[in-house]
Amino acid sequence: MRYLKTKISFKKAVCKILAFLILSINVDLVAAEVVTKEQTGERPVIGLVLSGGGARGASHIGVLKVLEELRIPIDVITGTSMGAIVGGMYAYGYSAEEIETHLAETDWDAVFRDEPPRKNRSFRRKQDDYDFLIKQEAGIQDGKLIIPKGLLQGQQLSLRLESLTLLAPPDFDALPIRFRAVAADIESGEAVALGRGSLSTAMLASMAIPGVIAPVEWDDRLLVDGGFANNVPVQLARDLGADILIVVDLSSELQGRDGLTSPFSILNQILGITIQRNTAEQLKKLTPDDILMQPDLSGYSSTDFWRASKMIDSGVVAAELNTQKLSQLSISKEDYTEYLIAMRQRDTESPTIDRIVFDNQTPLSTDVLESHITVEAGDMLDISALEEDIHQLYGMNIFERVEYDVLQDDQQTELIIEAEEKEWGPHYLRFGMSMETDFEGTGIFNLAASHTMTPINSMGGEWRSEFQIGHDQRLVTELYQPIDNRLRYYFRTSLGYYETHFGQFESGQHVADLDVSYSTFLLAGGRQFGNWGQLEVGAYTASGDSSPRIGDLSTPTNDIQAGAWVVTFSFDQLDSINIPRSGLLANISWSTGREALGAEEEQDTLRVNGLWAGTWNKHTLMLWGGIAGVTHTDVPADDAFSIGGLFNLSGYRKSELSGRYAGMMRVIYLREIGDSRSVLKVPVYVGASLEGGNVWNDRDEIRFDSLLLAGSISLAIDSPLGPIYLARGFAEGGRRETYLYLGRTFTFL
């Protein structure tokens, strides 16, 4: 036993001696390496660490500007969220000035909306705007309600990032500057360093704000904004070989008790605490040789993209305060020129496409996808044209995302179009409500829901049913079926049941209400012209009755029998139906009632409506008018056209004036108040209108001197639930009406 202990002690002594020798050798080698660097003038590896901060990340550009002025080369970049976007672009080869230009050119309001601009949506989807259902939808799967993982799927942001980093290599070590984007695994909470794959997708994943932008799938992981796991990736830059770090920290200060006044502010505070804790842990890893910058961004929010230039200046100021220390990292003009040449080697010319591949993950026919993409093999890639095509596809409202990628090798350049079906489809639910009151006991309130199943076949067929209760009740089901790959030609058929009631007036006095109920059947077919127009021909029949509800209840019930051929041409390039700010809308409809289709009498009806809107700065002007008429003078007035309500002779009550002929002209002025340029803020307007119009029962009565004049002043909010108007209407004879509306008020004759 004693021998064994002696033997073990001897072994320990030998091991200690060997360890000491090895350590001494390593120390000597490290010292030799340091001496070699100092003696040969070899510069240290410089790492740039850019934190997250949303729009506040614009200040990173200011820091980059100063680094370029001081001729400081960057060898490694790590970034989180907006830091990953700015850092990824710089690593790809953009200069600070180019990044600033692209930031200024980006429509951030559009980027943070999934749906493309309304002008790019299909005409079918534009027609959805005429209901009052909110845009946010849910799905039904296995009897359960499914909602999207984010308010946005990141469609527009993804396209923007892809266009800026089109030919980035799949290995981020092969970029001009080695780069890593940091995201967070939403399942485990771990920080994930992204170093291979699509650069644009990595940048998107790093900025996928939980609850706002849906998580990004990456190697079987669900990734979100990296700020929640590692907002200032210091150690990652060190692990990539950086000797000296330049760190830009944009962390927001926590709110005091006075600022915690709402559930949102408290939630934001909790997230801020999480970010500050992981930031503090990373900043502890800095050495005296590292340089930390914390730009003064007080008063700036993470959504203030429109104030980017001011925040860039803050970055410049923060960097200039560290000029003395930064200058020690400067290199000669000759060396920096060589460095820039190596940095700016990215290919700026659009590639010629040799092959197009469709990755179709939907029930829709690939022929439909192909017919919407105009680029062909052999063409030079036009990114703006390709994005227009993708907007058209995405505007069908079938896809969760439609993305593209360009892959190059020595043999060919391949364009890949990837279409992914919505995870919560193909059964979609939408809900909405509308309300209006005159504060004098008269009010209308409606709740509605719709169920849409699409696509029901490879040609993009759609089955929709709508249900509404309240003042106006209805149950409608419709089948819509395109019949060509371009989805231009279609037919549709619908069945509907409606119940409503409307007032009857005599000399401005509300004397009675009528209950009206009827059912309808429609069969129609048509042709869509791009996304701007549609021609439709159809036949409908209707039957029902009207009976007194308030007033003289002895009034007999009247049967309703109608049937007609209808031809309608529509042009729609408005930017919005809620509160139009630009564009033109026109509609011409002619119908001819025929006894063979169920009409009591044969008659012709014509409607013409138009609306133009234009905006300069914060001022919006709308010109809006319409005329309508029925050819037969013996048609009852209450079966024709009615006027009254906000913007329809605003001093008159809703449907107060009825006649066989009608005409309206309006000029509406709106001025935006406050500032809605920050992303996710709600526009608010004050406005006024001047209106002229009337109804007539005989064509001989139609004269300009018979027009009634009216106007209004209003406060309007373009809310997520729909436009809200609080208005006061005026008309001839001292008439006054007050209106509160939730829902679209732009009704047509």
Side-chain angles (χ1 to χ4, degrees):
M1 181 68 72
R2 181 179 300 174
Y3 168 76
L4 182 59
K5 289 182 178 179
T6 303
K7 188 175 181 180
I8 292 173
S9 299
F10 176 75
K11 286 184 177 180
K12 286 183 177 180
V14 171
C15 289
K16 288 181 178 180
I17 293 171
L18 290 174
F20 175 77
L21 291 173
I22 292 171
L23 180 61
S24 299
I25 292 171
N26 284 339
V27 170
D28 290 340
L29 289 174
V30 172
E33 183 181 355
V34 172
V35 169
T36 301
K37 278 189 176 182
E38 292 177 352
Q39 290 176 347
T40 62
E42 182 181 346
R43 68 178 182 82
V45 175
I46 301 174
L48 179 63
V49 180
L50 304 178
S51 81
R56 293 154 60 93
S59 59
H60 291 319
I61 301 171
V63 172
L64 291 175
K65 283 185 170 185
V66 175
L67 297 183
E68 290 179 347
E69 290 174 3
L70 296 175
R71 302 191 306 277
I72 298 175
I74 302 299
D75 305 292
V76 170
I77 298 177
T78 60
T80 298
S81 194
M82 194 64 180
I85 292 178
V86 174
M89 292 178 66
Y90 200 68
Y92 182 61
Y94 287 104
S95 67
E97 185 177 351
E98 288 174 320
I99 298 174
E100 181 180 11
T101 299
H102 286 301
L103 182 68
E105 291 175 349
T106 299
D107 184 349
W108 290 98
D109 189 42
V111 160
F112 282 99
R113 284 198 308 259
D114 271 336
E115 63 181 23
R118 191 171 182 273
K119 67 175 185 176
N120 293 115
R121 290 161 53 194
S122 69
F123 205 85
R124 171 71 174 174
R125 295 283 73 88
K126 287 182 179 181
Q127 292 173 312
D128 295 344
D129 295 341
Y130 292 93
D131 60 37
F132 55 82
L133 302 176
I134 62 175
K135 296 302 178 186
Q136 198 65 30
E137 64 186 13
I140 301 177
Q141 293 179 1
D142 300 324
K144 298 180 180 179
L145 189 67
I146 307 294
I147 61 175
K149 291 189 177 82
L151 294 175
L152 306 173
Q153 303 309 306
Q155 169 70 15
Q156 304 304 324
L157 181 56
S158 175
L159 288 180
R160 180 58 175 160
L161 295 176
E162 179 64 31
S163 70
L164 293 172
T165 58
L166 184 64
L167 300 176
D171 183 353
F172 299 172
D173 286 341
L175 290 165
I177 301 175
R178 295 180 70 199
F179 172 70
R180 295 293 185 272
V182 176
D185 186 322
I186 194 63
E187 292 182 276
S188 66
E190 297 175 343
V192 181
L194 307 178
R196 289 190 61 85
S198 165
L199 179 58
S200 63
T201 304
M203 293 155 68
L204 176 65
S206 184
M207 197 179 175
I209 307 165
V212 178
I213 300 177
V216 175
E217 290 198 26
W218 184 287
D219 292 339
D220 294 326
R221 286 183 155 187
L222 279 179
L223 302 183
V224 298
D225 193 311
F228 301 99
N230 188 358
N231 196 47
V232 188
V234 168
Q235 187 59 50
L236 178 59
R238 196 84 73 194
D239 294 342
L240 291 173
D243 297 315
I244 295 178
L245 300 181
I246 300 172
V247 180
V248 187
D249 174 24
L250 308 179
S251 300
S252 302
E253 293 186 2
L254 297 177
Q255 292 280 349
R257 179 175 295 186
D258 293 342
L260 303 175
T261 57
S262 68
F264 178 79
S265 64
I266 293 174
L267 176 61
N268 194 51
Q269 182 86 337
I270 293 172
L271 299 178
I273 292 171
T274 302
I275 292 172
Q276 282 216 353
R277 283 179 177 172
N278 71 59
T279 296
E281 290 176 4
Q282 290 293 310
L283 295 183
K284 289 178 183 177
K285 302 177 185 294
L286 297 180
T287 70
D289 291 331
D290 299 325
I291 302 170
L292 173 63
M293 304 178 202
Q294 295 174 309
D296 181 7
L297 296 172
S298 54
Y300 296 101
S301 112
S302 60
T303 61
D304 288 343
F305 287 95
W306 60 279
R307 302 172 71 187
S309 61
K310 298 290 186 182
M311 290 182 278
I312 290 173
D313 293 341
S314 297
V316 170
V317 171
E320 288 178 341
L321 291 174
N322 291 273
T323 298
Q324 183 175 356
K325 198 169 183 180
L326 287 170
S327 297
Q328 299 174 15
L329 304 177
S330 298
I331 59 177
S332 67
K333 290 183 179 180
E334 295 77 11
D335 289 343
Y336 194 69
T337 299
E338 290 183 13
Y339 167 81
L340 289 180
I341 291 173
M343 268 263 299
R344 308 287 188 253
Q345 296 242 337
R346 77 180 192 279
D347 193 349
T348 57
E349 292 187 4
S350 294
T352 298
I353 302 301
D354 299 308
R355 182 166 177 256
I356 303 175
V357 177
F358 288 86
D359 182 5
N360 182 10
Q361 304 171 31
T362 78
L364 206 63
S365 168
T366 301
D367 292 338
V368 173
L369 302 185
E370 290 178 350
S371 68
H372 282 76
I373 301 298
T374 56
V375 63
E376 298 179 355
D379 291 348
M380 182 175 289
L381 180 61
D382 183 336
I383 294 179
S384 60
L386 177 60
E387 288 185 346
E388 284 286 311
D389 294 341
I390 289 177
H391 286 330
Q392 299 276 351
L393 274 173
Y394 194 78
M396 295 166 59
N397 201 29
I398 292 175
F399 309 100
E400 185 166 338
R401 281 191 196 149
V402 181
E403 300 174 317
Y404 71 94
D405 198 4
V406 176
L407 298 182
Q408 285 185 316
D409 57 31
D410 295 336
Q411 303 297 321
Q412 64 179 3
T413 299
E414 191 173 76
L415 172 64
I416 300 174
I417 308 293
E418 180 180 337
E420 180 182 352
E421 186 182 16
K422 291 180 179 178
E423 184 181 17
W424 56 97
H427 296 272
Y428 305 104
L429 290 177
R430 289 173 58 206
F431 303 91
M433 66 177 180
S434 67
M435 178 189 70
E436 56 184 271
T437 179
D438 59 6
F439 297 100
E440 295 181 2
T442 301
I444 294 175
F445 183 78
N446 293 308
L447 289 173
S450 73
H451 168 264
T452 303
M453 182 180 178
T454 184
I456 59 175
N457 51 45
S458 63
M459 293 298 293
E462 179 177 301
W463 179 24
R464 170 176 294 185
S465 298
E466 298 180 358
F467 173 72
Q468 179 174 305
I469 58 174
H471 180 275
D472 305 302
Q473 303 187 68
R474 61 190 170 104
L475 178 62
V476 182
T477 187
E478 179 190 64
L479 176 66
Y480 177 89
Q481 181 62 62
I483 54 178
D484 71 316
N485 288 333
R486 286 286 295 167
L487 311 184
R488 296 168 297 183
Y489 297 94
Y490 68 91
F491 73 83
R492 67 185 182 101
T493 183
S494 69
L495 285 169
Y497 176 76
Y498 303 83
E499 287 185 5
T500 187
H501 56 269
F502 61 88
Q504 291 186 313
F505 296 83
E506 292 181 4
S507 302
Q509 297 298 314
H510 186 187
V511 296
D513 269 0
L514 292 180
D515 275 333
V516 179
S517 61
Y518 57 96
S519 57
T520 65
F521 171 74
L522 169 71
L523 180 63
R527 201 312 191 164
Q528 293 186 358
F529 301 94
N531 50 26
W532 57 266
Q534 175 179 283
L535 177 66
E536 181 177 274
V537 179
Y540 80 90
T541 182
S543 62
D545 59 61
S546 65
S547 58
R549 179 172 180 266
I550 297 176
D552 186 0
L553 300 182
S554 64
T555 304
T557 297
N558 291 324
D559 289 334
I560 299 173
Q561 296 293 329
W565 291 99
V566 182
V567 179
T568 303
F569 177 76
S570 301
F571 177 94
D572 187 350
Q573 282 291 78
L574 285 182
D575 68 324
S576 171
I577 289 296
N578 281 6
I579 298 180
R581 302 185 77 239
S582 66
L584 176 67
L585 180 146
N587 180 280
I588 301 174
S589 175
W590 172 76
S591 66
T592 177
R594 292 294 179 261
E595 292 181 0
L597 293 174
E600 295 182 52
E601 296 185 50
E602 296 192 352
Q603 61 186 42
D604 294 329
T605 304
L606 177 68
R607 293 179 173 87
V608 180
N609 290 285
L611 171 61
W612 172 89
T615 296
W616 66 102
N617 297 324
K618 293 188 175 187
H619 308 276
T620 295
L621 185 67
M622 283 179 269
L623 306 178
W624 177 19
I627 57 172
V630 180
T631 57
H632 288 67
T633 58
D634 54 353
V635 175
D638 55 16
D639 287 348
F641 308 100
S642 60
I643 288 179
L646 184 59
F647 303 136
N648 289 286
L649 293 183
S650 295
Y652 289 82
R653 302 178 72 176
K654 185 178 179 69
S655 303
E656 181 174 341
L657 305 173
S658 295
R660 299 179 185 88
Y661 304 94
M664 274 296 304
M665 296 179 293
R666 306 100 161 168
V667 178
I668 302 173
Y669 167 78
L670 297 174
R671 188 192 189 283
E672 186 175 0
I673 58 176
D675 208 318
S676 65
R677 287 177 292 181
S678 291
V679 176
L680 303 179
K681 288 194 177 179
V682 176
V684 180
Y685 305 87
V686 292
S689 69
L690 179 62
E691 307 147 27
N694 206 344
V695 296
W696 305 271
N697 285 318
D698 194 309
R699 269 185 278 189
D700 296 337
E701 300 174 354
I702 304 174
R703 300 183 309 276
F704 275 105
D705 60 7
S706 67
L707 292 178
L708 302 174
L709 298 180
S712 68
I713 55 174
S714 60
L715 175 70
I717 303 173
D718 195 359
S719 80
L721 295 177
I724 301 173
Y725 283 89
L726 177 62
R728 182 69 167 168
F730 311 91
E732 293 182 59
R735 300 179 64 100
R736 301 284 187 273
E737 291 290 337
T738 302
Y739 306 97
L740 175 62
Y741 272 81
L742 168 60
R744 291 172 185 84
T745 60
F746 292 95
T747 56
F748 299 91
L749 294 173

